[in-house]
Amino acid sequence: MKIYQNPDTLLSQKILQRPVHEAQNLESTVGMVLKKVKEEGDSALKDFTQKFDQVTITDFKVSEAEIIAAGNLVAPELKKAIQTAKSNIAVFHQSQQSDSPRVETMSGIECWQKSIGIEKVGFYIPGGTAPLFSSVLMMAVPAQIAGCKEMILCTPPQKDGSINPVILYTANLCGITRIFKVGGAQAIAAMAYGTATIPAVYKIYGPGNQYVTAAKQLVSQQGTAIDMPAGPSELMVVADHTAKADFVASDLLSQAEHGVDSQVVLIAFDLDFAKKVLAEIEMQLTKLPRREIAKKALENSPVLVLKDRDAGLSIVNQYAPEHLILAVDAVEAFAERVTNAGSVFMGNYTPESVGDYASGTNHTLPTNGYARSYSGLNLDAFVKKITFQKLSAAGLQNIGETVELMAEAEQLQAHKEAVSVRLRWISNE
Amino acid sequence: MKIYQNPDTLLSQKILQRPVHEAQNLESTVGMVLKKVKEEGDSALKDFTQKFDQVTITDFKVSEAEIIAAGNLVAPELKKAIQTAKSNIAVFHQSQQSDSPRVETMSGIECWQKSIGIEKVGFYIPGGTAPLFSSVLMMAVPAQIAGCKEMILCTPPQKDGSINPVILYTANLCGITRIFKVGGAQAIAAMAYGTATIPAVYKIYGPGNQYVTAAKQLVSQQGTAIDMPAGPSELMVVADHTAKADFVASDLLSQAEHGVDSQVVLIAFDLDFAKKVLAEIEMQLTKLPRREIAKKALENSPVLVLKDRDAGLSIVNQYAPEHLILAVDAVEAFAERVTNAGSVFMGNYTPESVGDYASGTNHTLPTNGYARSYSGLNLDAFVKKITFQKLSAAGLQNIGETVELMAEAEQLQAHKEAVSVRLRWISNE
């Protein structure tokens, strides 16, 4: 990590530029996969699974026996941990429930809004060495609270054709019984279009590699909603004299180990403290199994030593970090002024990893500066809100002329007539 | 409108298929416009405005003098109507404000969520014969309530280089002072990338033709958020013996006059009533200035005569109409069972056009079946929600082991260490 002291605005914009990853002909490959799955259904899924995952799957649906067997393979302590996380996530997402009240905007005009769970939702969990069962919790728990009626899950099979038991256990714990052994762009296609085995859903959620991300973007232009655009993970830590260098170092590393394209940024107010953090990073790095990944990520990761809190806040809100740790004095006052961030972790005892797993907040968050306009996954992401309105005859009389005048000014005569025909009828009553 | 009596599920799916409009090389044209504006800024805007709008603009920004002059050109009654509509829209969107409470998910673990207005938002209003000033209200009023700090508006100039005065009056009434004379894909590009004259925004809202829609979709893949995918407008009316044929006819026509690609659907339970509505449509059509448009739209528009309310509800929720009028007995009970729709208009005195203008609900709604997963424009669309969390030392001790176990199971050692280093420190205190 390179240290920059009090860079000017232009320089800090340059320093904080996220690494850009060019997609190499992704769209055409992914477009081909989508087309084939749309046309050929399950048989295309079989072909792609053979080609990309090197395994032959005859039945994509995970059987009940497999789910039960998986439950017996997960250690009791891990089960308990998953249950604790689930409970906290449920408490927090339940607190987000809110139906706005019926209001009378004018006498005789009632308007209201109602949240309804999206009926059919599909979750994607990537394969790879680490089974991301925590993401199952982050999608399925709010979906259940939102009242989504049908939940399905796709995840690529391992080389032996099985699914990691912790994923199966967690999914089953959250009420997901329709789990399919299919990954990559072909899984996204299956959930968007439906096949004989895999039902189509209205919205697709979940992390994934660049093929999965590209597939999600493509189907989102064809009518299937997606959670949010995904990019490499990132963390910004603001640390003053109240922070502890070893805590800060561990946080930066916890984000850096995600992937070589992760970015971490330290904002400090004292050069010596910044140097202490860097020394701690060197020490802690040696003990990490994923140190090579973390090292690469740290190469894209700057340290900014700034003159005061205001300068720090300005950088925070400009960068709009996915994760923001505030290890600063008067942390509530500082947090109050944060306007662009995905999730904020306050004080010395709130490492980012508690939010990744178990504190209750969601870990699916806007990356790449999207926090300026997007929320992380929350209850809103699993519902749509329908507006309702009901006018009495008196209500229509109160608003009728207003609508007639506006419709006429927009040259939409039939809009006006729909009001006029009723007003005439009311006055003839 | 063709009448179908009790079609089976497969047939009704076919009947209710929305007309598909193939984009003809839209993407390449729009991509070229975006690229040029990104690279050349204002000079590209000048060129495209000359080419597409046949007018030479030297200063894109509408001057204060133009805004003041516009105010004097709008009739006092229309001003009053716009103010009434604004007030109702404000009342309804204010009622949607809700910050979720701080919750303690476990002892010592506090989590909460905060809504913050998106700092920079851009609105697009199309040109054409009718000035869509009502859309200005539907975007600017909730944006102001949400606390969006910077609002800008782009709309194409008329042949004489001016902007319709009602649009200027309405924008100014809503606190928008930065209005730019630029339309089409080039306007979307300017708001996404920024030029010397037009500032870049974080989210773009507003209706538009297929070029505008394609441009919005493209910039949304590059980091600028957009309101929602847009398609032709549509209305479904469910009408039983309590409905009045002339009211229903006027509603169907009010939607049909929008454009030749609009779709309207009537669901009735009595063949004679359906025929009465069709006869009323013929009569009312003759008086409409936009009858040729409406006639074309009616060609894509079916009437379904069904056996009972349950059959009607099933069709409603399957079609997921943008607008839904319920002119039925026991309308509250019927509305309660609607799960897929943009906005619902209840009873005989609630024509859809009141919601288009002035009742208070938003008129920007999900079309093309998107109501299955998308909400219409509401306060949520102008904010992002940031999550916060704060753990005490005791809180971290309560959740620490859970996080350690889960991080270890996901093979993310540094995630675990960020907790462990703190737990060791706490126990040494």
Side-chain angles (χ1 to χ4, degrees):
Chain A
M1 295 179 89
K2 199 175 158 193
I3 298 181
Y4 301 85
Q5 287 194 75
N6 296 310
D8 62 26
T9 312
L10 224 70
L11 179 58
S12 50
Q13 271 170 8
K14 221 183 130 199
I15 296 165
L16 291 171
Q17 231 157 39
R18 278 127 170 135
V20 177
H21 301 271
E22 283 301 332
Q24 318 88 340
N25 278 343
L26 259 187
E27 283 221 359
S28 62
T29 310
V30 171
M32 179 274 292
V33 171
L34 296 192
K35 188 164 175 281
K36 196 155 185 259
V37 172
K38 193 174 185 175
E39 286 167 2
E40 299 170 25
D42 283 340
S43 98
L45 294 185
K46 232 167 257 184
D47 292 351
F48 288 127
T49 305
Q50 220 141 24
K51 185 172 171 193
F52 297 131
D53 302 300
Q54 285 94 44
V55 44
T56 305
I57 301 286
T58 45
D59 189 357
F60 287 101
K61 191 163 183 298
V62 174
S63 69
E64 211 175 315
E66 283 174 288
I67 293 174
I68 293 167
N72 297 327
L73 290 171
V74 180
E77 318 82 68
L78 183 56
K79 280 186 185 170
K80 201 166 151 265
I82 292 171
Q83 286 161 16
T84 301
K86 177 172 183 283
S87 154
N88 288 350
I89 295 164
V91 169
F92 184 55
H93 287 80
Q94 260 151 7
S95 79
Q96 295 165 16
Q97 282 174 314
S98 71
D99 261 354
S100 55
R102 271 191 194 220
V103 289
E104 216 175 2
T105 54
M106 267 180 133
S107 175
I109 304 181
E110 277 189 297
C111 302
W112 65 101
Q113 193 176 243
K114 186 177 158 189
S115 293
I116 297 179
I118 296 169
E119 195 185 328
K120 303 174 187 195
V121 293
F123 307 140
Y124 183 76
I125 296 288
T129 47
L132 297 183
F133 58 87
S134 61
S135 292
V136 179
L137 294 174
M138 296 295 173
M139 299 187 283
V141 172
Q144 268 196 316
I145 294 168
C148 300
K149 291 213 180 93
E150 298 181 23
M151 298 188 281
I152 67 169
L153 189 150
C154 288
T155 189
Q158 303 180 98
K159 290 276 169 289
D160 64 356
S162 72
I163 302 291
N164 183 290
V166 195
I167 290 178
L168 292 185
Y169 168 77
T170 308
N172 189 46
L173 183 71
C174 297
I176 305 175
T177 53
R178 291 195 291 174
I179 305 167
F180 301 98
K181 299 176 184 179
V182 58
Q186 60 273 25
I188 304 303
M191 291 195 276
Y193 309 130
T195 70
T197 310
I198 302 179
V201 299
Y202 299 151
K203 189 167 180 175
I204 298 174
Y205 306 74
N209 63 18
Q210 49 186 351
Y211 293 93
V212 169
T213 301
K216 282 170 65 185
Q217 281 204 319
L218 281 171
V219 301
S220 79
Q221 288 170 45
Q222 301 164 8
T224 308
I226 61 169
D227 47 359
M228 71 183 80
S233 201
E234 49 194 46
L235 167 68
M236 187 172 262
V237 180
V238 184
D240 68 7
H241 61 280
T242 66
K244 296 186 47 58
D246 50 345
F247 293 7
V248 172
S250 74
D251 293 325
L252 294 169
L253 286 170
S254 77
Q255 195 59 30
E257 79 170 342
H258 265 298
V260 294
D261 50 4
S262 295
Q263 189 174 51
V264 298
V265 181
L266 171 61
I267 294 180
F269 306 100
D270 180 85
L271 182 61
D272 287 339
F273 178 81
K275 287 180 177 166
K276 260 168 83 174
V277 173
L278 294 189
E280 268 290 337
I281 286 179
E282 288 306 317
M283 273 174 17
Q284 295 185 21
L285 245 182
T286 60
K287 289 175 278 182
L288 292 181
R290 293 168 72 93
R291 57 183 165 271
E292 291 310 321
I293 293 170
K295 266 186 202 164
K296 275 249 170 355
L298 291 171
E299 286 169 15
N300 306 321
S301 298
V303 179
L304 275 67
V305 179
L306 303 177
K307 64 177 193 307
D308 58 22
R309 286 160 72 100
D310 279 359
L313 259 163
S314 156
I315 293 281
V316 164
N317 288 327
Q318 175 194 314
Y319 183 73
E322 181 192 15
H323 303 101
L324 173 65
I325 294 182
L326 300 178
V328 295
D329 198 25
V331 69
E332 294 271 352
F334 197 104
E336 194 54 48
R337 294 173 62 200
V338 171
T339 54
N340 291 325
S343 196
V344 182
F345 301 79
M346 295 158 63
N348 278 329
Y349 303 115
T350 316
E352 186 257 346
S353 55
V354 299
D356 281 342
Y357 291 109
S359 61
T361 58
N362 209 293
H363 77 193
T364 308
L365 296 165
T367 56
N368 202 29
Y370 283 102
R372 297 182 193 108
S373 51
Y374 286 86
S375 311
L377 223 53
N378 59 13
L379 205 63
D380 293 340
F382 296 89
V383 302
K384 70 272 164 104
K385 297 183 181 178
I386 304 181
T387 51
F388 293 84
Q389 60 200 288
K390 193 178 172 190
L391 274 65
S392 64
L396 188 62
Q397 285 177 310
N398 285 334
I399 196 72
E401 200 192 338
T402 294
V403 175
E404 289 177 322
L405 278 165
M406 291 176 75
E408 182 131 48
E410 286 194 355
Q411 298 170 28
L412 293 170
Q413 196 66 23
H415 281 63
K416 179 186 175 185
E417 268 306 311
V419 171
S420 310
V421 65
R422 287 167 165 93
L423 290 181
R424 285 195 296 269
W425 194 89
I426 293 168
S427 67
N428 288 338
E429 265 289 86
Chain B
M1 295 180 88
K2 198 176 159 194
I3 298 180
Y4 301 86
Q5 287 194 75
N6 295 310
D8 62 25
T9 311
L10 224 70
L11 179 59
S12 48
Q13 270 169 7
K14 220 183 130 199
I15 296 166
L16 292 171
Q17 230 157 39
R18 277 129 171 134
V20 177
H21 301 271
E22 284 301 332
Q24 320 87 341
N25 278 342
L26 259 187
E27 283 221 358
S28 62
T29 309
V30 171
M32 178 275 292
V33 171
L34 296 192
K35 188 163 174 282
K36 197 157 184 259
V37 172
K38 193 174 186 175
E39 286 167 3
E40 299 169 25
D42 284 340
S43 99
L45 295 185
K46 232 166 258 184
D47 291 351
F48 288 127
T49 304
Q50 220 141 26
K51 185 171 170 192
F52 298 131
D53 303 300
Q54 285 94 45
V55 44
T56 305
I57 301 285
T58 46
D59 189 357
F60 287 101
K61 191 162 184 298
V62 173
S63 69
E64 211 174 314
E66 284 175 287
I67 294 174
I68 293 168
N72 297 327
L73 291 171
V74 181
E77 319 81 69
L78 183 56
K79 280 187 185 170
K80 199 167 152 265
I82 292 171
Q83 287 160 18
T84 301
K86 177 172 183 282
S87 155
N88 288 350
I89 295 165
V91 169
F92 184 54
H93 287 79
Q94 259 151 7
S95 79
Q96 296 166 14
Q97 282 176 314
S98 71
D99 262 353
S100 56
R102 272 192 193 217
V103 291
E104 217 175 1
T105 55
M106 268 181 133
S107 176
I109 304 181
E110 277 189 298
C111 302
W112 66 101
Q113 193 176 243
K114 186 178 158 189
S115 293
I116 298 180
I118 297 170
E119 195 186 329
K120 302 172 187 195
V121 294
F123 307 140
Y124 184 76
I125 296 289
T129 47
L132 297 183
F133 58 88
S134 61
S135 292
V136 178
L137 294 175
M138 296 296 173
M139 300 187 282
V141 172
Q144 268 196 316
I145 293 168
C148 300
K149 291 212 180 92
E150 298 181 23
M151 298 188 282
I152 66 170
L153 189 150
C154 288
T155 190
Q158 303 180 98
K159 289 277 169 290
D160 64 357
S162 72
I163 303 291
N164 182 291
V166 194
I167 290 178
L168 292 184
Y169 168 76
T170 308
N172 188 46
L173 183 71
C174 297
I176 306 176
T177 53
R178 291 195 291 174
I179 305 167
F180 301 97
K181 299 175 184 178
V182 58
Q186 59 274 24
I188 304 303
M191 291 195 276
Y193 310 130
T195 70
T197 309
I198 302 179
V201 299
Y202 299 152
K203 189 166 180 176
I204 298 173
Y205 307 74
N209 63 19
Q210 48 185 352
Y211 292 92
V212 168
T213 301
K216 280 170 67 185
Q217 282 204 319
L218 281 171
V219 301
S220 80
Q221 288 170 46
Q222 302 164 8
T224 309
I226 61 169
D227 47 359
M228 71 183 81
S233 202
E234 49 193 46
L235 167 69
M236 186 172 261
V237 180
V238 185
D240 69 7
H241 62 280
T242 66
K244 295 186 47 60
D246 51 345
F247 294 5
V248 171
S250 73
D251 293 326
L252 294 169
L253 286 171
S254 78
Q255 195 59 29
E257 79 170 341
H258 265 298
V260 293
D261 50 4
S262 295
Q263 188 173 51
V264 298
V265 181
L266 171 61
I267 294 181
F269 306 100
D270 180 84
L271 183 60
D272 287 339
F273 178 81
K275 287 180 177 167
K276 258 170 84 176
V277 172
L278 294 188
E280 269 290 337
I281 286 179
E282 288 307 317
M283 272 175 16
Q284 296 185 19
L285 245 181
T286 58
K287 287 174 281 179
L288 293 180
R290 293 169 71 94
R291 58 184 165 270
E292 291 310 320
I293 293 170
K295 266 187 202 163
K296 276 248 170 354
L298 291 171
E299 286 170 14
N300 307 322
S301 297
V303 178
L304 275 67
V305 179
L306 304 178
K307 64 176 193 306
D308 58 20
R309 286 162 71 101
D310 279 358
L313 259 163
S314 155
I315 294 280
V316 164
N317 288 328
Q318 174 195 315
Y319 182 73
E322 181 192 14
H323 303 100
L324 173 65
I325 292 182
L326 301 178
V328 295
D329 198 24
V331 69
E332 294 270 351
F334 197 103
E336 195 54 48
R337 294 173 62 200
V338 172
T339 55
N340 291 326
S343 196
V344 182
F345 302 79
M346 296 159 63
N348 278 329
Y349 304 114
T350 317
E352 186 257 349
S353 55
V354 297
D356 281 341
Y357 291 109
S359 61
T361 59
N362 209 293
H363 77 193
T364 308
L365 296 165
T367 56
N368 202 29
Y370 282 103
R372 297 182 194 109
S373 51
Y374 287 85
S375 311
L377 223 52
N378 59 14
L379 205 62
D380 293 341
F382 296 89
V383 302
K384 69 274 164 101
K385 297 183 182 179
I386 303 181
T387 51
F388 293 84
Q389 59 199 289
K390 192 178 171 189
L391 275 64
S392 65
L396 189 62
Q397 284 177 312
N398 285 335
I399 197 73
E401 200 191 338
T402 295
V403 175
E404 289 177 322
L405 279 163
M406 291 176 74
E408 182 131 48
E410 285 194 356
Q411 299 169 29
L412 293 171
Q413 197 65 25
H415 281 64
K416 180 186 175 186
E417 269 305 311
V419 171
S420 309
V421 64
R422 287 166 165 93
L423 289 181
R424 285 195 296 271
W425 194 88
I426 294 167
S427 66
N428 287 338
E429 265 289 86

